[in-house]
Amino acid sequence: MKIAMLARNPNLYSHQRLKEAAEARGHELDIINTLRCYMNIASRRPEIYYNGEKLPPYDAVIPRIGASVTFYGLAVLRQFEMMGVYPLNESVAIGRSRDKLRSLQILSREGLGLPVTTFAHDPKQTEEVLKLAGGAPLVIKLLEGTQGIGVVLADTDRSAKSVIEAFRGAQVNILVQEFIKEAGGTDIRALVVGGKVIAAMQRTGAEGEFRSNLHRGGSAQAVKISPEERSTAVRSAKAMGLNVCGVDMLRANHGAVVMEVNSSPGLEGVEKATGIDVAGRIIELLEKQAKPGKTRTRGRG
């Protein structure tokens, strides 16, 4: 099988592991810089060019599109889909997951556990938004944030109001969520591949840090998750229409709540914490699923 991987940095652990796993199984995998692709959108003849040459036919494409290049990355992935190349994750599903508000709306429709979340445009509604979210402490998030960037914990209503007004003054969209204090600065990342949780780790934030992202100095260890948490992760992936994703959950007093569904989860933390060959499982999924033209989205929204 000939596989293309859309990724800006070929040297990242996740990208090298996927390449190794594919080649170990006798496949050919090319890492293609997403931003160096350009497209010819012609009737019945969709083509992609790279470094001055037309890309050859591929059986499958693995999108590892960074959050900062989502718009262009999805355009390139859609072009692969138009050419009948099987995508590990579909463009529509990735687009849903990258929009925090849209993804929460979809998960809410499916009845999945979520933190109380509010969203408004008019700065005059700040006090009503704080009240709806249950009052401080509150977590304020940029809609486009990633890796814990653009996430603020406000300890008092007064500080929450100041942060919200500052973000609004900068013309950025934000979500205001209840703070799940009982999670104690830890969360669960469940890796879903092909409708099954294949690995799970507990991430703990660095000293004095409420965000548990590994990019922010957090640590990870393997964890046994409950049947409810496993079901929540699988249902979240299905609702978003993602074949492969990391589902981030907090353990609240009333059960698991979903914080985010990541369509390009890093593999280093979870592989090292659990010892599970996640990259190999992803390539196995492609072997079973990759059929030309199989690009119809399964999710709704």
Side-chain angles (χ1 to χ4, degrees):
M1 183 161 61
K2 194 168 170 64
I3 305 167
M5 184 195 298
L6 293 175
R8 289 176 69 192
N9 183 354
N11 299 317
L12 285 184
Y13 175 96
S14 301
H15 305 157
Q16 285 299 314
R17 282 287 297 117
L18 286 163
K19 185 173 175 65
E20 287 167 14
E23 290 173 351
R25 286 161 176 73
H27 306 301
E28 184 182 340
L29 189 148
D30 296 331
I31 299 178
I32 294 168
N33 187 321
T34 319
L35 297 184
R36 289 194 195 152
C37 293
Y38 53 102
M39 297 162 276
N40 179 17
I41 303 166
S43 178
R44 300 183 188 278
R45 262 189 319 110
E47 295 169 339
I48 300 175
Y49 290 82
Y50 185 66
N51 289 340
E53 295 182 7
K54 188 167 88 169
L55 283 179
Y58 286 97
D59 301 297
V61 55
I62 299 175
R64 299 284 304 179
I65 299 165
S68 62
V69 297
T70 296
F71 181 82
Y72 194 76
L74 290 183
V76 174
L77 178 57
R78 282 194 296 269
Q79 192 76 348
F80 271 101
E81 291 173 348
M82 297 298 163
M83 293 159 64
V85 181
Y86 178 82
L88 179 67
N89 278 330
E90 297 164 354
S91 56
V92 174
I94 295 172
R96 290 189 195 107
S97 71
R98 286 289 160 83
D99 182 333
K100 285 190 174 70
L101 178 62
R102 188 182 184 195
S103 63
L104 288 172
Q105 288 172 322
I106 291 169
L107 295 172
S108 154
R109 180 179 62 200
E110 299 301 319
L112 287 150
L114 300 170
V116 175
T117 304
T118 59
F119 179 74
H121 176 73
D122 190 342
K124 291 173 187 167
Q125 295 166 331
T126 299
E127 291 196 11
E128 287 92 329
V129 162
L130 296 179
K131 194 174 173 185
L132 273 176
L138 292 166
V139 176
I140 300 160
K141 292 182 179 179
L142 292 180
L143 277 188
E144 294 82 18
T146 183
Q147 297 177 354
I149 298 165
V151 180
V152 178
L153 174 62
D155 291 317
T156 65
D157 284 351
R158 188 173 176 180
S159 62
K161 194 173 177 183
S162 297
V163 171
I164 291 169
E165 287 170 353
F167 277 139
R168 290 266 165 72
Q171 300 293 305
V172 293
N173 290 312
I174 56 167
L175 294 174
V176 179
Q177 290 184 325
E178 68 172 321
F179 176 56
I180 310 293
K181 187 178 180 182
E182 59 269 26
T186 68
D187 74 357
I188 306 292
R189 159 70 60 94
L191 250 291
V192 180
V193 176
K196 293 178 183 172
V197 175
I198 63 157
M201 63 177 172
Q202 179 172 286
R203 303 183 297 186
T204 304
E207 181 102 18
E209 174 62 76
F210 78 98
R211 294 167 292 186
S212 55
N213 304 71
L214 301 185
H215 289 89
R216 312 211 67 78
S219 58
Q221 62 185 57
V223 68
K224 185 174 174 59
I225 61 174
S226 69
E228 181 216 359
E229 289 164 344
R230 190 172 294 273
S231 169
T232 295
V234 169
R235 288 171 59 209
S236 298
K238 186 177 180 184
M240 303 302 291
L242 291 165
N243 291 317
V244 173
C245 62
V247 180
D248 297 340
M249 299 175 281
L250 297 181
R251 286 175 163 165
N253 287 334
H254 52 279
V257 295
V258 180
M259 300 304 291
E260 189 174 355
V261 182
N262 189 320
S263 57
S264 292
L267 305 187
E268 185 171 10
V270 71
E271 285 198 338
K272 289 183 176 176
T274 65
I276 293 169
D277 179 11
V278 175
R281 298 289 289 272
I282 289 171
I283 299 302
E284 284 174 20
L285 178 69
L286 277 183
E287 289 171 346
K288 290 176 191 165
Q289 301 281 1
K291 291 180 177 62
K294 194 177 175 183
T295 56
R296 273 190 69 189
T297 183
R298 289 169 303 286
R300 293 181 299 133

